[in-house]
Every structure is written in C-alpha cells, then in structure tokens.
Amino acid sequence: MIKPTILRTAAGAPVAPSVIKAIKEAIDVNLVVTDISSMSSGFHFADQHEIVPRVDNPGYLQSIFDLCKKHSVNIFWPDLDEELLLMAENKSEFEKMGVRLLLSDADTLRICGDKYFTFEALKGFGVPVPESFITTEDAVGNLSFPMLLKPRQGRGSVGVTIINNHAELQDAFNSIENPIIQEFLPGKEYTIDALSDMDGKFHYCSIRQRVSTDSGISVKGETVSDKKLEAFVESACNELKLKGPSCFQCKEDPNGVFKFIEINPRIAGTSILSEKAGAHVITDSVRVAMGDEPKGNANFKAGFKMTRYWSEIFEG
C-alpha cells in the first residue's frame, strides 16, 4: 500500500510541533507542512516542508494547488483561520485533483466564523450562550456592566474589551469594526475538542479547563469530565454538520453555569492535552480523513494535567 501524503499549513504556529509529532508518532504517513518563514519550527518535525506566500497574497490558493500536485497529496488539512473559508469554497477543485479536504463545508464555516451567527445557531439548538447584541441600545437595555465587547470575526483575544460604563461602551463600539456585545462571564474557561466524521456525524469530545493562558494559548490545562457539556457539543456538531476536528469555548457565569461563546472549525492549539489524555482528536482526524476507524476515547483520563514551556532549535 502506498503511504498517504498529508499537506498541513501553519507549521510556524507555536503549537504546530506537538501536532506534527503526534501524527508522525502514531500514523504511517508522509507529512508535508507549509509556512511563510524558512525558520518555521514545525519544519524540523515533518517529512518535507514548503514556503508559501501569506494567506492574503492573491497567489496563495494557487500555491496550495501547486503543492498538492507536486507532492501527490491525498489529504489537505488547512489550519489558519484566515484560509479556512477560502479552501472550503474551492473544495471541488481539490476533489478534481483527488485531494480530500479535512475541513467543514463553507456554509458551516460562515456560521462559526461570525460570533453573532454562532450565538444565534447555538441558541436555536438549545445550547446555553451568553446574552449577545449587535447594537449598544439593545445591550444597555438588557445587560448590566461589566459587559464584553469583541469583533464578530477574529481570533484569540484580539480586540476583546471589558466594558465598565456607558462612555467606555460607546468608545469601544466605535473603534471596532463589526462588534458584538456580550454578557460578561467571569468564571472558569473550558475548551472542548470535538471530532466528527467526514459526513458531519459526531464521534466524541474531550473537555479541558484552560487553567492559565498566554496570548490566547493555554499554557496550563487539565482534562475534566462533564456529560452535560458533552451532550451540548454533540448536538451542535450534528446540527452544524461539522466535519473532522473542531473546538468549542465555554465559560462559567457568576452562578457557575456554562455558556458557549465560540466554535473553531479546526484543531485546537492545545488539543495535544486531549490526545495524551486518551481522546485522540489529532490522530483520529487523520484516520477519519483516510476513511479509517477512529481510535476513539475509551481510555480518556479526567484530571490529566499539562504545563507548557519554551524550547529551542538551533541551526548553523
């Protein structure tokens, strides 16, 4: 049998080496990775690597097509938020080349890529969400201070502002393009790594508390078990027809009630904690894309902890 080839982007992301190493340690594949910099740390752990233009470069999509042909790619696994919709909208072009796209469909991505659309969808599925508004009048009429204001489209904590009074609300609202105002949730934060098959049917999920974060990335975490949260994620995955890996963010309100704030239709930055705890979301993403049976999460361990640290690679 010919070894399948996977093309994966964003090899320069801080968490990329853990994902690349997990795949290479568990599955016999040829892994080709891309980044815009020749000094990408992920290049050192993959089988082959390629330098590509920035996502906003008009030639970026064609560069991916060219690499798929050059390396006879079987599975393309995009990872940058900024490229996901572009790739999904060109799914048919990948299929013409015999490349399977490990990604949800464009309609699903449009919902997940807009925090207000996400709010409306989850609320419609009966999933608990923070009260959310897109006008200051509605927010002031329904919420008390502090409030949370953020861009409807965006990644990490960029543009997220805690609002304490009317003057701050107006200033922040006018300074952010396309903002959303939400109920402020002061409690513990959780990420839920989920896996669905390529038809959009939920397989399983793994819950982990974000004990400590740095620049939006969890640097200390611990896995937990909560059947109620799992049920909400299963419902949302099936309703939205999410495909492959996804991750959900939720936080506790002042009464300790979980409310879902975000869906990322891609692998999470700290999914390696779930993988090592026995919920194989990274390697099972490859397995479902290959048409194989996922390993699953039968041996998942709650209370499994992770602490991150910096490491270096030297050349020359």
Side-chain angles (χ1 to χ4, degrees), residues 154-218:
R155 64 156 69 196
S157 56
V158 177
V160 177
T161 308
I162 297 175
I163 305 297
N164 295 295
N165 55 56
H166 290 85
E168 289 181 4
L169 175 60
Q170 202 59 55
D171 287 346
F173 190 86
N174 292 333
S175 66
I176 293 178
E177 184 179 356
N178 206 16
I180 181 173
I181 308 163
Q182 293 185 316
E183 168 191 358
F184 178 64
L185 304 176
K188 296 175 182 177
E189 185 175 3
Y190 297 82
T191 295
I192 306 171
D193 298 312
L195 180 73
S196 302
D197 66 20
M198 298 309 292
D199 293 319
K201 183 178 180 181
F202 175 83
H203 273 302
Y204 63 84
C205 64
S206 164
I207 306 167
R208 47 188 173 80
Q209 182 185 348
R210 290 160 62 92
V211 177
S212 178
T213 61
D214 184 356
S215 303
I217 297 173
S218 176

Side-chain angles (χ1 to χ4, degrees), residues 82-132:
E82 295 84 356
E83 72 183 340
L84 299 184
L85 184 58
L86 173 66
M87 300 307 168
E89 289 175 338
N90 287 275
K91 181 179 179 179
S92 62
E93 295 303 312
F94 286 103
E95 291 176 339
K96 288 176 185 176
M97 294 186 288
V99 178
R100 190 164 208 183
L101 188 60
L102 182 48
L103 183 66
S104 295
D105 293 336
D107 288 345
T108 300
L109 297 182
R110 292 188 185 99
I111 294 172
C112 297
D114 185 304
K115 292 178 176 62
Y116 191 71
F117 291 164
T118 300
F119 158 76
E120 291 185 310
L122 291 176
K123 187 175 182 180
F125 305 151
V127 175
V129 288
E131 289 298 321
S132 302

